Amino acid sequence: MKTFEERLEQAKAAIEHADCVLLGAGAGLSDAAGLTYSGKRFEDNFADFIKRYGMTDMYSSAFYPFQTEEERWAYWARHIAVNRYNTPAAALYKELLRLLADKDYFVITTNVEHQFYKAGFSADKVFAVQGDYGYLQCAKACHGTLYDNEALVRELLASTHGCRIQTALIPKCPVCGGRMEVNLRKDNHFVEDENWRLALERCSDFVKEHSGKRIVFLELGVGYNTPGIIRFPFEQMTYANPSATLIRINRDYPHGAKENAKRTVSFDENMAEVIQAL
């Protein structure tokens, strides 16, 4: 494996001479940015839920089988507030914007904390595939409208006592009267609204427009939870385009397809330090 300095220079040169950059971001990016879902950040914000339910982290807690809607929404209001509304743009996301400021770029991300938008990335250059903590939808997707949830979340937080909200505040679908859910892709009822479809179209157009050109696929913190969204397509597109370079920054899974070895620059070092160096 090349030294860090050699890989850094190779990555710098690829970005400098690229016609465009397609940035793919996974959970590892937010983790590197300090938006950790376990440890002190989780313990400081969810001490009461940890004591009552034995929760260990925010990721697994999202699947906790709450017995009542009052408990479920008390948890989710806290989860959304901590990760979406009470967290400003992370420095690492701002550094990424600086890195790409003079490039033709597009972002595809499985992260749902709205960080790219907060950091100043153009909204029409971001495709948040898996949804956004800031919206609610009908749990059964009886209709395709999403609802901004900030005011509701603030109200739920204020009414939370003993890990429960007031029954009268449980959100209900305004169309069918059924349960509401956060707009996250977790089942086949995920709502892909008009904005989602437009973002998909813009992403597809970007890829088609730059097919065969000098493109850098900058992949950050994408593991094997949903590799079919970013990781595998990036490898496939790199393989198909002799002018492409794949830059992968991943602490646990830095290496990829051996067929792309000569056009892949891998880093398992600290992501924030690598981006800063770039």
Side-chain angles (χ1 to χ4, degrees):
M1 188 175 184
K2 295 180 179 179
T3 66
F4 175 74
E5 289 74 19
E6 290 171 333
R7 286 176 283 130
L8 187 64
E9 290 305 313
Q10 185 180 356
K12 282 183 178 180
I15 294 173
E16 180 181 353
H17 298 295
D19 296 316
C20 63
V21 176
L22 181 58
L23 191 161
L29 170 59
S30 285
D31 189 73
L35 306 179
T36 54
Y37 275 33
S38 59
K40 187 176 187 301
R41 184 169 179 264
F42 174 61
E43 293 162 4
D44 287 350
N45 286 287
F46 291 89
D48 50 345
F49 285 89
I50 294 170
K51 182 178 180 180
R52 182 180 290 260
Y53 303 105
M55 294 176 172
T56 57
D57 62 86
M58 275 184 273
Y59 181 78
S60 62
S61 298
F63 302 95
Y64 191 89
F66 292 104
Q67 297 300 304
T68 68
E69 287 290 278
E70 289 85 351
E71 294 169 284
R72 186 169 76 92
W73 281 108
Y75 172 80
W76 271 106
R78 184 91 56 88
H79 185 111
I80 294 168
V82 167
N83 294 296
R84 175 68 160 78
Y85 297 121
N86 298 349
T87 304
L92 182 53
Y93 279 83
K94 293 181 180 180
E95 287 295 297
L96 278 173
L97 183 59
R98 286 183 57 207
L99 178 65
L100 301 180
D102 297 326
K103 307 300 296 187
D104 183 8
Y105 73 85
F106 197 90
V107 175
I108 179 170
T109 182
T110 54
N111 296 342
V112 295
E113 305 102 342
H114 209 72
Q115 277 288 316
F116 282 106
Y117 306 93
K118 290 181 181 181
F121 284 78
S122 299
D124 61 355
K125 291 181 176 291
V126 178
F127 179 26
V129 185
Q130 304 290 67
D132 189 305
Y133 281 141
Y135 299 100
L136 297 186
Q137 63 163 82
C138 173
K140 295 301 183 182
C142 78
H143 65 296
T145 302
L146 300 183
Y147 301 88
D148 186 288
N149 64 26
E150 183 171 9
L152 174 65
V153 165
R154 300 296 186 196
E155 189 174 16
L156 297 182
L157 289 174
S159 79
T160 298
H161 298 286
C163 299
R164 297 171 63 91
I165 64 162
Q166 296 175 14
T167 301
L169 295 179
I170 296 172
K172 300 289 185 182
C173 175
V175 175
C176 72
R179 296 168 66 246
M180 295 289 276
E181 282 284 2
V182 188
N183 180 230
L184 304 176
R185 187 186 299 279
K186 63 182 184 63
D187 57 30
N188 60 359
H189 298 302
F190 175 71
V191 169
E192 299 171 354
D193 72 345
E194 182 63 19
N195 288 328
W196 189 98
R197 291 191 291 272
L198 287 174
L200 171 61
E201 183 177 333
R202 287 192 290 265
C203 184
S204 298
D205 289 345
F206 184 89
V207 171
K208 292 175 184 176
E209 178 185 347
H210 297 95
S211 176
K213 296 183 180 180
R214 290 177 300 183
I215 183 170
V216 165
F217 296 102
L218 179 57
E219 183 192 292
L220 307 177
V222 179
Y224 287 97
N225 189 16
T226 53
I229 296 175
I230 297 172
R231 189 179 180 100
F232 291 165
F234 273 26
E235 290 181 348
Q236 292 164 347
M237 288 187 288
T238 300
Y239 180 75
N241 181 359
S243 300
T245 300
L246 172 61
I247 300 174
R248 172 173 284 148
I249 307 177
N250 195 304
R251 180 190 62 197
D252 299 318
Y253 309 106
H255 304 296
K258 63 181 184 297
E259 292 86 353
N260 293 331
K262 291 183 179 180
R263 289 185 285 117
T264 299
V265 188
S266 298
F267 295 92
D268 60 1
E269 291 84 359
N270 180 280
M271 187 183 299
E273 294 176 3
V274 175
I275 296 299
Q276 181 65 46
L278 287 173

